[in-house]
Amino acid sequence: MGRRKKEPISAHREKIAAAASVLFMEKGITATSMDDIAKAAGYSKATLYVYFKNKEEITGILVLDSMKKLYGYISSALEQQETTKTTYDLICNGLVQYQEEFPFYLKMVLDKININFENQDYLPEEKETYQIGEKINGKIKEFLISGIEKGDLRSNLEIMPVIFNFWGMLSGIIQLANNKEEYIQSLMGLSKNQFLEYGFNMLYCSISNK
């Protein structure tokens, strides 16, 4: 314990969150208990509660970290200054990569959009997650406006409804491909990647000017 006391609080929180992340991947979030996390991280349950009030707070940290990575993926796609379609493909690939790295968090991230900050009963990580989500929406807005100005996307697109439909449809396609991979292969003869490419292209056609 002497060594631990010399470490900053952030180091303990990171170690606990990392252990929880592994357990969430193995068992799922619901099936993982604070006891499980304490044992995996090498802490007593009492010590665990010194650093985190509950499992929701640990999950909030992990969701926030995952959102920062998602923001990085999308920012990187836009910084490459490719054609509108190529940029769209890079954004889609970033979302697929995010789902593969953080399979439990995509739906949770989308759920965070509706946080009411007038109600004080929320975690600081939830507000920061929301704020990063808004920054991501801003990046998607940049992409759409750029595509419209280039004449690649329809000029009558309503930006905010498109953004929300964009998230709902793309996340739905990705989760469906992940959950029904064997069924898709058996029924359609398509690999997961082929199914995703078909779905992404279909969605792009709905906003394309061509």
PDB file of all heavy atoms in Angstrom, residues 85 88-89 92 154 169-170 173 176 194-208 210:
ATOM      1  N   LYS A  85     -16.825  11.778 -51.329  1.00  0.00           N
ATOM      2  CA  LYS A  85     -17.141  10.360 -51.159  1.00  0.00           C
ATOM      3  C   LYS A  85     -16.032   9.645 -50.383  1.00  0.00           C
ATOM      4  O   LYS A  85     -16.314   8.819 -49.495  1.00  0.00           O
ATOM      5  CB  LYS A  85     -17.340   9.691 -52.519  1.00  0.00           C
ATOM      6  CG  LYS A  85     -17.640   8.185 -52.447  1.00  0.00           C
ATOM      7  CD  LYS A  85     -18.899   7.885 -51.645  1.00  0.00           C
ATOM      8  CE  LYS A  85     -19.391   6.459 -51.817  1.00  0.00           C
ATOM      9  NZ  LYS A  85     -18.441   5.427 -51.355  1.00  0.00           N
ATOM     10  N   TYR A  88     -16.289  10.567 -46.791  1.00  0.00           N
ATOM     11  CA  TYR A  88     -17.423   9.837 -46.215  1.00  0.00           C
ATOM     12  C   TYR A  88     -17.009   8.408 -45.883  1.00  0.00           C
ATOM     13  O   TYR A  88     -17.309   7.900 -44.791  1.00  0.00           O
ATOM     14  CB  TYR A  88     -18.581   9.846 -47.208  1.00  0.00           C
ATOM     15  CG  TYR A  88     -19.726   8.931 -46.846  1.00  0.00           C
ATOM     16  CD1 TYR A  88     -20.699   9.333 -45.934  1.00  0.00           C
ATOM     17  CD2 TYR A  88     -19.845   7.665 -47.413  1.00  0.00           C
ATOM     18  CE1 TYR A  88     -21.750   8.496 -45.593  1.00  0.00           C
ATOM     19  CE2 TYR A  88     -20.888   6.825 -47.089  1.00  0.00           C
ATOM     20  CZ  TYR A  88     -21.844   7.244 -46.180  1.00  0.00           C
ATOM     21  OH  TYR A  88     -22.884   6.406 -45.843  1.00  0.00           O
ATOM     22  N   ASP A  89     -16.306   7.760 -46.802  1.00  0.00           N
ATOM     23  CA  ASP A  89     -15.852   6.381 -46.566  1.00  0.00           C
ATOM     24  C   ASP A  89     -14.908   6.313 -45.362  1.00  0.00           C
ATOM     25  O   ASP A  89     -14.970   5.375 -44.562  1.00  0.00           O
ATOM     26  CB  ASP A  89     -15.145   5.829 -47.812  1.00  0.00           C
ATOM     27  CG  ASP A  89     -16.094   5.586 -48.970  1.00  0.00           C
ATOM     28  OD1 ASP A  89     -17.310   5.439 -48.721  1.00  0.00           O
ATOM     29  OD2 ASP A  89     -15.616   5.544 -50.120  1.00  0.00           O
ATOM     30  N   CYS A  92     -16.943   6.546 -42.205  1.00  0.00           N
ATOM     31  CA  CYS A  92     -17.592   5.257 -41.964  1.00  0.00           C
ATOM     32  C   CYS A  92     -16.597   4.243 -41.418  1.00  0.00           C
ATOM     33  O   CYS A  92     -16.906   3.502 -40.468  1.00  0.00           O
ATOM     34  CB  CYS A  92     -18.220   4.730 -43.250  1.00  0.00           C
ATOM     35  SG  CYS A  92     -19.642   5.684 -43.827  1.00  0.00           S
ATOM     36  N   ARG A 154     -26.629  16.967 -52.043  1.00  0.00           N
ATOM     37  CA  ARG A 154     -27.848  17.710 -52.361  1.00  0.00           C
ATOM     38  C   ARG A 154     -27.888  19.039 -51.623  1.00  0.00           C
ATOM     39  O   ARG A 154     -27.574  19.118 -50.434  1.00  0.00           O
ATOM     40  CB  ARG A 154     -29.072  16.886 -51.990  1.00  0.00           C
ATOM     41  CG  ARG A 154     -29.331  15.718 -52.915  1.00  0.00           C
ATOM     42  CD  ARG A 154     -30.343  14.752 -52.335  1.00  0.00           C
ATOM     43  NE  ARG A 154     -31.359  15.415 -51.529  1.00  0.00           N
ATOM     44  CZ  ARG A 154     -32.056  14.814 -50.569  1.00  0.00           C
ATOM     45  NH1 ARG A 154     -31.809  13.551 -50.284  1.00  0.00           N
ATOM     46  NH2 ARG A 154     -32.960  15.472 -49.896  1.00  0.00           N
ATOM     47  N   MET A 169     -28.544   5.751 -38.572  1.00  0.00           N
ATOM     48  CA  MET A 169     -28.473   4.767 -39.651  1.00  0.00           C
ATOM     49  C   MET A 169     -27.114   4.070 -39.696  1.00  0.00           C
ATOM     50  O   MET A 169     -27.037   2.848 -39.828  1.00  0.00           O
ATOM     51  CB  MET A 169     -28.774   5.446 -40.991  1.00  0.00           C
ATOM     52  CG  MET A 169     -30.210   5.906 -41.117  1.00  0.00           C
ATOM     53  SD  MET A 169     -30.524   6.751 -42.697  1.00  0.00           S
ATOM     54  CE  MET A 169     -32.230   7.272 -42.462  1.00  0.00           C
ATOM     55  N   LEU A 170     -26.037   4.855 -39.605  1.00  0.00           N
ATOM     56  CA  LEU A 170     -24.710   4.243 -39.655  1.00  0.00           C
ATOM     57  C   LEU A 170     -24.468   3.318 -38.466  1.00  0.00           C
ATOM     58  O   LEU A 170     -23.961   2.208 -38.627  1.00  0.00           O
ATOM     59  CB  LEU A 170     -23.625   5.319 -39.704  1.00  0.00           C
ATOM     60  CG  LEU A 170     -23.449   6.061 -41.031  1.00  0.00           C
ATOM     61  CD1 LEU A 170     -22.325   7.094 -40.924  1.00  0.00           C
ATOM     62  CD2 LEU A 170     -23.156   5.108 -42.178  1.00  0.00           C
ATOM     63  N   ILE A 173     -26.468   0.121 -39.017  1.00  0.00           N
ATOM     64  CA  ILE A 173     -25.853  -0.760 -40.013  1.00  0.00           C
ATOM     65  C   ILE A 173     -24.671  -1.507 -39.393  1.00  0.00           C
ATOM     66  O   ILE A 173     -24.507  -2.720 -39.566  1.00  0.00           O
ATOM     67  CB  ILE A 173     -25.392   0.043 -41.249  1.00  0.00           C
ATOM     68  CG1 ILE A 173     -26.598   0.578 -42.023  1.00  0.00           C
ATOM     69  CG2 ILE A 173     -24.534  -0.823 -42.173  1.00  0.00           C
ATOM     70  CD1 ILE A 173     -26.238   1.612 -43.088  1.00  0.00           C
ATOM     71  N   LEU A 176     -25.845  -4.041 -36.751  1.00  0.00           N
ATOM     72  CA  LEU A 176     -26.516  -5.160 -37.411  1.00  0.00           C
ATOM     73  C   LEU A 176     -25.493  -6.096 -38.046  1.00  0.00           C
ATOM     74  O   LEU A 176     -25.584  -7.324 -37.908  1.00  0.00           O
ATOM     75  CB  LEU A 176     -27.484  -4.640 -38.473  1.00  0.00           C
ATOM     76  CG  LEU A 176     -28.277  -5.698 -39.250  1.00  0.00           C
ATOM     77  CD1 LEU A 176     -29.200  -6.470 -38.315  1.00  0.00           C
ATOM     78  CD2 LEU A 176     -29.080  -5.054 -40.372  1.00  0.00           C
ATOM     79  N   GLN A 194     -18.509  -6.560 -46.923  1.00  0.00           N
ATOM     80  CA  GLN A 194     -19.313  -6.316 -48.126  1.00  0.00           C
ATOM     81  C   GLN A 194     -20.680  -5.752 -47.763  1.00  0.00           C
ATOM     82  O   GLN A 194     -21.187  -4.845 -48.427  1.00  0.00           O
ATOM     83  CB  GLN A 194     -19.463  -7.613 -48.915  1.00  0.00           C
ATOM     84  CG  GLN A 194     -18.199  -8.068 -49.617  1.00  0.00           C
ATOM     85  CD  GLN A 194     -18.345  -9.455 -50.226  1.00  0.00           C
ATOM     86  OE1 GLN A 194     -19.042 -10.322 -49.689  1.00  0.00           O
ATOM     87  NE2 GLN A 194     -17.669  -9.676 -51.353  1.00  0.00           N
ATOM     88  N   PHE A 195     -21.273  -6.301 -46.711  1.00  0.00           N
ATOM     89  CA  PHE A 195     -22.582  -5.807 -46.256  1.00  0.00           C
ATOM     90  C   PHE A 195     -22.465  -4.352 -45.790  1.00  0.00           C
ATOM     91  O   PHE A 195     -23.326  -3.522 -46.112  1.00  0.00           O
ATOM     92  CB  PHE A 195     -23.092  -6.688 -45.119  1.00  0.00           C
ATOM     93  CG  PHE A 195     -24.393  -6.229 -44.536  1.00  0.00           C
ATOM     94  CD1 PHE A 195     -25.595  -6.498 -45.167  1.00  0.00           C
ATOM     95  CD2 PHE A 195     -24.419  -5.509 -43.339  1.00  0.00           C
ATOM     96  CE1 PHE A 195     -26.809  -6.066 -44.636  1.00  0.00           C
ATOM     97  CE2 PHE A 195     -25.614  -5.082 -42.795  1.00  0.00           C
ATOM     98  CZ  PHE A 195     -26.820  -5.360 -43.442  1.00  0.00           C
ATOM     99  N   LEU A 196     -21.411  -4.052 -45.056  1.00  0.00           N
ATOM    100  CA  LEU A 196     -21.206  -2.682 -44.588  1.00  0.00           C
ATOM    101  C   LEU A 196     -21.010  -1.728 -45.764  1.00  0.00           C
ATOM    102  O   LEU A 196     -21.604  -0.642 -45.791  1.00  0.00           O
ATOM    103  CB  LEU A 196     -19.981  -2.623 -43.667  1.00  0.00           C
ATOM    104  CG  LEU A 196     -20.161  -3.194 -42.261  1.00  0.00           C
ATOM    105  CD1 LEU A 196     -18.821  -3.271 -41.546  1.00  0.00           C
ATOM    106  CD2 LEU A 196     -21.134  -2.355 -41.451  1.00  0.00           C
ATOM    107  N   GLU A 197     -20.202  -2.132 -46.719  1.00  0.00           N
ATOM    108  CA  GLU A 197     -19.956  -1.278 -47.882  1.00  0.00           C
ATOM    109  C   GLU A 197     -21.254  -1.006 -48.636  1.00  0.00           C
ATOM    110  O   GLU A 197     -21.504   0.132 -49.066  1.00  0.00           O
ATOM    111  CB  GLU A 197     -18.938  -1.946 -48.805  1.00  0.00           C
ATOM    112  CG  GLU A 197     -18.573  -1.093 -50.017  1.00  0.00           C
ATOM    113  CD  GLU A 197     -17.533  -1.746 -50.909  1.00  0.00           C
ATOM    114  OE1 GLU A 197     -17.048  -2.851 -50.569  1.00  0.00           O
ATOM    115  OE2 GLU A 197     -17.205  -1.149 -51.959  1.00  0.00           O
ATOM    116  N   TYR A 198     -22.086  -2.034 -48.780  1.00  0.00           N
ATOM    117  CA  TYR A 198     -23.368  -1.854 -49.472  1.00  0.00           C
ATOM    118  C   TYR A 198     -24.256  -0.865 -48.710  1.00  0.00           C
ATOM    119  O   TYR A 198     -24.849   0.052 -49.299  1.00  0.00           O
ATOM    120  CB  TYR A 198     -24.079  -3.202 -49.597  1.00  0.00           C
ATOM    121  CG  TYR A 198     -25.373  -3.135 -50.376  1.00  0.00           C
ATOM    122  CD1 TYR A 198     -25.383  -3.296 -51.767  1.00  0.00           C
ATOM    123  CD2 TYR A 198     -26.595  -2.896 -49.737  1.00  0.00           C
ATOM    124  CE1 TYR A 198     -26.561  -3.214 -52.494  1.00  0.00           C
ATOM    125  CE2 TYR A 198     -27.774  -2.814 -50.453  1.00  0.00           C
ATOM    126  CZ  TYR A 198     -27.759  -2.980 -51.831  1.00  0.00           C
ATOM    127  OH  TYR A 198     -28.925  -2.895 -52.539  1.00  0.00           O
ATOM    128  N   GLY A 199     -24.328  -1.051 -47.384  1.00  0.00           N
ATOM    129  CA  GLY A 199     -25.163  -0.163 -46.571  1.00  0.00           C
ATOM    130  C   GLY A 199     -24.659   1.262 -46.566  1.00  0.00           C
ATOM    131  O   GLY A 199     -25.443   2.214 -46.684  1.00  0.00           O
ATOM    132  N   PHE A 200     -23.345   1.443 -46.443  1.00  0.00           N
ATOM    133  CA  PHE A 200     -22.771   2.787 -46.446  1.00  0.00           C
ATOM    134  C   PHE A 200     -23.026   3.484 -47.783  1.00  0.00           C
ATOM    135  O   PHE A 200     -23.370   4.678 -47.818  1.00  0.00           O
ATOM    136  CB  PHE A 200     -21.261   2.723 -46.178  1.00  0.00           C
ATOM    137  CG  PHE A 200     -20.893   2.233 -44.804  1.00  0.00           C
ATOM    138  CD1 PHE A 200     -19.642   1.668 -44.571  1.00  0.00           C
ATOM    139  CD2 PHE A 200     -21.785   2.315 -43.743  1.00  0.00           C
ATOM    140  CE1 PHE A 200     -19.290   1.220 -43.312  1.00  0.00           C
ATOM    141  CE2 PHE A 200     -21.446   1.869 -42.478  1.00  0.00           C
ATOM    142  CZ  PHE A 200     -20.186   1.315 -42.256  1.00  0.00           C
ATOM    143  N   ASN A 201     -22.856   2.750 -48.879  1.00  0.00           N
ATOM    144  CA  ASN A 201     -23.084   3.337 -50.200  1.00  0.00           C
ATOM    145  C   ASN A 201     -24.549   3.707 -50.401  1.00  0.00           C
ATOM    146  O   ASN A 201     -24.863   4.743 -51.002  1.00  0.00           O
ATOM    147  CB  ASN A 201     -22.632   2.379 -51.298  1.00  0.00           C
ATOM    148  CG  ASN A 201     -21.124   2.316 -51.439  1.00  0.00           C
ATOM    149  OD1 ASN A 201     -20.425   3.257 -51.078  1.00  0.00           O
ATOM    150  ND2 ASN A 201     -20.613   1.210 -51.954  1.00  0.00           N
ATOM    151  N   MET A 202     -25.439   2.869 -49.905  1.00  0.00           N
ATOM    152  CA  MET A 202     -26.870   3.155 -50.022  1.00  0.00           C
ATOM    153  C   MET A 202     -27.221   4.442 -49.292  1.00  0.00           C
ATOM    154  O   MET A 202     -27.979   5.280 -49.796  1.00  0.00           O
ATOM    155  CB  MET A 202     -27.680   1.983 -49.459  1.00  0.00           C
ATOM    156  CG  MET A 202     -29.179   2.119 -49.645  1.00  0.00           C
ATOM    157  SD  MET A 202     -30.076   0.633 -49.119  1.00  0.00           S
ATOM    158  CE  MET A 202     -29.749   0.668 -47.346  1.00  0.00           C
ATOM    159  N   LEU A 203     -26.638   4.621 -48.097  1.00  0.00           N
ATOM    160  CA  LEU A 203     -26.897   5.839 -47.329  1.00  0.00           C
ATOM    161  C   LEU A 203     -26.301   7.056 -48.026  1.00  0.00           C
ATOM    162  O   LEU A 203     -26.927   8.122 -48.081  1.00  0.00           O
ATOM    163  CB  LEU A 203     -26.326   5.696 -45.910  1.00  0.00           C
ATOM    164  CG  LEU A 203     -26.543   6.879 -44.971  1.00  0.00           C
ATOM    165  CD1 LEU A 203     -28.025   7.234 -44.875  1.00  0.00           C
ATOM    166  CD2 LEU A 203     -25.977   6.565 -43.578  1.00  0.00           C
ATOM    167  N   TYR A 204     -25.107   6.891 -48.592  1.00  0.00           N
ATOM    168  CA  TYR A 204     -24.491   8.020 -49.296  1.00  0.00           C
ATOM    169  C   TYR A 204     -25.336   8.447 -50.494  1.00  0.00           C
ATOM    170  O   TYR A 204     -25.486   9.647 -50.753  1.00  0.00           O
ATOM    171  CB  TYR A 204     -23.081   7.657 -49.749  1.00  0.00           C
ATOM    172  CG  TYR A 204     -22.364   8.820 -50.427  1.00  0.00           C
ATOM    173  CD1 TYR A 204     -21.780   9.816 -49.663  1.00  0.00           C
ATOM    174  CD2 TYR A 204     -22.295   8.922 -51.820  1.00  0.00           C
ATOM    175  CE1 TYR A 204     -21.137  10.898 -50.276  1.00  0.00           C
ATOM    176  CE2 TYR A 204     -21.674   9.981 -52.433  1.00  0.00           C
ATOM    177  CZ  TYR A 204     -21.081  10.969 -51.652  1.00  0.00           C
ATOM    178  OH  TYR A 204     -20.467  12.043 -52.257  1.00  0.00           O
ATOM    179  N   CYS A 205     -25.890   7.481 -51.197  1.00  0.00           N
ATOM    180  CA  CYS A 205     -26.731   7.794 -52.357  1.00  0.00           C
ATOM    181  C   CYS A 205     -27.936   8.651 -51.959  1.00  0.00           C
ATOM    182  O   CYS A 205     -28.431   9.448 -52.765  1.00  0.00           O
ATOM    183  CB  CYS A 205     -27.208   6.518 -53.038  1.00  0.00           C
ATOM    184  SG  CYS A 205     -25.912   5.658 -53.969  1.00  0.00           S
ATOM    185  N   SER A 206     -28.389   8.515 -50.721  1.00  0.00           N
ATOM    186  CA  SER A 206     -29.567   9.269 -50.270  1.00  0.00           C
ATOM    187  C   SER A 206     -29.245  10.751 -50.066  1.00  0.00           C
ATOM    188  O   SER A 206     -30.169  11.580 -50.035  1.00  0.00           O
ATOM    189  CB  SER A 206     -30.125   8.673 -48.986  1.00  0.00           C
ATOM    190  OG  SER A 206     -29.261   8.929 -47.887  1.00  0.00           O
ATOM    191  N   ILE A 207     -27.972  11.100 -49.914  1.00  0.00           N
ATOM    192  CA  ILE A 207     -27.611  12.512 -49.737  1.00  0.00           C
ATOM    193  C   ILE A 207     -26.793  13.049 -50.917  1.00  0.00           C
ATOM    194  O   ILE A 207     -26.532  14.249 -50.993  1.00  0.00           O
ATOM    195  CB  ILE A 207     -26.816  12.728 -48.423  1.00  0.00           C
ATOM    196  CG1 ILE A 207     -25.505  11.947 -48.423  1.00  0.00           C
ATOM    197  CG2 ILE A 207     -27.666  12.361 -47.211  1.00  0.00           C
ATOM    198  CD1 ILE A 207     -24.610  12.227 -47.222  1.00  0.00           C
ATOM    199  N   SER A 208     -26.414  12.159 -51.827  1.00  0.00           N
ATOM    200  CA  SER A 208     -25.586  12.567 -52.969  1.00  0.00           C
ATOM    201  C   SER A 208     -26.387  13.372 -53.975  1.00  0.00           C
ATOM    202  O   SER A 208     -27.588  13.181 -54.149  1.00  0.00           O
ATOM    203  CB  SER A 208     -25.002  11.323 -53.642  1.00  0.00           C
ATOM    204  OG  SER A 208     -24.319  11.681 -54.828  1.00  0.00           O
ATOM    205  N   LYS A 210     -25.700  13.202 -57.107  1.00  0.00           N
ATOM    206  CA  LYS A 210     -25.505  12.552 -58.403  1.00  0.00           C
ATOM    207  C   LYS A 210     -26.358  11.313 -58.506  1.00  0.00           C
ATOM    208  O   LYS A 210     -26.710  10.710 -57.507  1.00  0.00           O
ATOM    209  CB  LYS A 210     -24.026  12.198 -58.583  1.00  0.00           C
ATOM    210  CG  LYS A 210     -23.122  13.440 -58.584  1.00  0.00           C
ATOM    211  CD  LYS A 210     -21.670  13.059 -58.688  1.00  0.00           C
ATOM    212  CE  LYS A 210     -20.778  14.301 -58.653  1.00  0.00           C
ATOM    213  NZ  LYS A 210     -19.345  13.974 -58.686  1.00  0.00           N
TER     214      LYS A 210
END
